Amino acid sequence: ISLTVVVVLASQCDGFLSLPFANQANPAVVKYADAQDSALLKIHLDIGQEVDTRKGIKIGGDRLGIDGLLVDLHGKEDANYKHPNLPGANGPSPQLSSGARVLEVVKEGKFVDMTGSRRVNLEHGVWEMIWRKNANAGALICAFDVPEDVKRNGAIIPQGRVYMTFPVWTQDTLQELRQRKVKAEEKAVEAMDRLKDETRMMAETDNPLMKALHFRNCCKAHEDLDYSGHKSYQKMPLEKDMVNLKDGLHLCSLGTVWTKKDAFFGGEHVLLGSATASPGDRELKEKKVLTERELKLVAFDGLRP
């Protein structure tokens, strides 16, 4: 009997895992990551939180702006070294991840404080791409170890791990979502116009029956506005500038910067600010390589003058 129970449970478990809503990866996620070999990104970090006043007006608090960070994505190289845990590869659903790939910091970022210009040391860089099956978008995530606090006034990147997440689309899904967003906005505008007109007519009439009719029409217009889906599309950065990646991918230029407190699983997810990506200048990397070669040639007894 025990054996029969075990077999039945195993059969039920296999059936559950094969259900369409189980976590499955986009079959092309590894191919997409492999294609990003020697992809250069220049990243600007804007660290700091907005402050809400009692009147609901948002004002900027202390800010930490880091410029000039240049990273190179090595899509075909696995990160076989100590690096920060990644939310995909080291998370509860590693099958959604491309796996940890090598990330090279070509040029360190800089910021200015009261002491002058300061470099930002980011170590053990790594990146991954995660993408669920049938999802419209994936995410490119970069991770670094921060050996010491990076701080300017009240804005800070704390010592520990820091992550940068950017949405990624294919050309087809991006175009489709943009078209759907336009249709949703058209439906929303039409519903808002009806709501405004019916509200006005309800206020103007003294006839109880007409007032009830206009009230019903107001409710229907409000319902159509909710079901238009325009709010969902407003949260998608579909109209932001895109960085063209290899294999027909488009990286949203606006991403988030965040960290994890305490344990990676179950720890507090803390938003630090935003990241803005743009295509990197390959000449800067080639210049860096050339400079290092020149220093080796003029070195004396292994010591650089």
Side-chain angles (χ1 to χ4, degrees), residues 159-178:
Q159 178 184 4
R161 299 163 296 185
V162 65
Y163 300 87
M164 305 169 197
T165 301
F166 299 92
V168 183
W169 289 273
T170 64
Q171 177 62 39
D172 291 340
T173 56
L174 181 61
Q175 184 64 29
E176 179 184 354
L177 284 171
R178 283 175 171 170

Side-chain angles (χ1 to χ4, degrees), residues 44-226:
H44 168 81
L45 304 181
D46 183 13
I47 306 301
Q49 302 297 318
E50 292 183 330
V51 179
D52 289 326
T53 64
R54 294 183 178 180
K55 296 182 179 180
I57 302 174
K58 290 187 176 181
I59 59 175
D62 292 328
R63 317 300 296 184
L64 167 61
I66 299 175
D67 289 310
L69 175 62
L70 184 65
V71 301
D72 191 353
L73 308 181
H74 293 246
K76 296 181 179 179
E77 298 181 41
D78 294 333
N80 297 320
Y81 51 84
K82 180 183 177 182
H83 59 73
N85 285 338
L86 289 165
N90 305 108
S93 301
Q95 71 277 9
L96 303 180
S97 172
S98 62
R101 307 298 176 95
V102 173
L103 185 151
E104 175 190 357
V105 177
V106 177
K107 185 179 179 183
E108 295 178 330
K110 296 180 180 179
F111 70 98
V112 177
D113 62 7
M114 295 296 292
T115 64
S117 179
R118 299 185 60 183
R119 293 181 179 272
V120 178
N121 183 22
L122 300 177
E123 300 179 343
H124 311 138
V126 66
W127 72 281
E128 69 173 348
M129 191 176 292
I130 57 176
W131 208 315
R132 293 181 184 274
K133 186 176 182 180
N134 298 326
N136 290 320
L140 190 151
I141 302 173
C142 304
F144 304 89
D145 282 324
V146 183
E148 60 182 5
D149 290 350
V150 181
K151 186 176 182 180
R152 181 180 183 274
N153 298 328
I156 182 173
I157 300 178
Q159 178 184 4
R161 299 163 296 185
V162 65
Y163 300 87
M164 305 169 197
T165 301
F166 299 92
V168 183
W169 289 273
T170 64
Q171 177 62 39
D172 291 340
T173 56
L174 181 61
Q175 184 64 29
E176 179 184 354
L177 284 171
R178 283 175 171 170
Q179 292 174 353
R180 286 161 56 182
K181 180 180 181 181
V182 170
K183 293 180 180 179
E185 289 176 342
E186 290 175 351
K187 291 181 179 179
V189 170
E190 189 273 335
M192 284 188 288
D193 289 342
R194 275 193 290 123
L195 180 61
K196 182 178 179 181
D197 291 341
E198 294 293 340
T199 301
R200 175 181 55 79
M201 289 186 288
M202 182 176 64
E204 291 175 351
T205 184
D206 294 327
N207 187 320
L209 293 178
M210 293 303 298
K211 192 176 287 289
L213 176 63
H214 290 310
F215 176 76
R216 176 186 177 281
N217 292 339
C218 282
C219 294
K220 182 62 170 64
H222 198 284
E223 181 182 68
D224 291 343
L225 179 61
D226 289 339

Side-chain angles (χ1 to χ4, degrees), residues 282-299:
R282 186 152 298 280
E283 291 184 359
L284 290 177
K285 181 175 182 181
E286 293 174 351
K287 183 177 180 181
K288 177 186 176 184
V289 173
L290 180 60
T291 303
E292 290 179 347
R293 289 176 180 172
E294 291 174 344
L295 286 173
K296 289 181 181 179
L297 288 175
V298 299

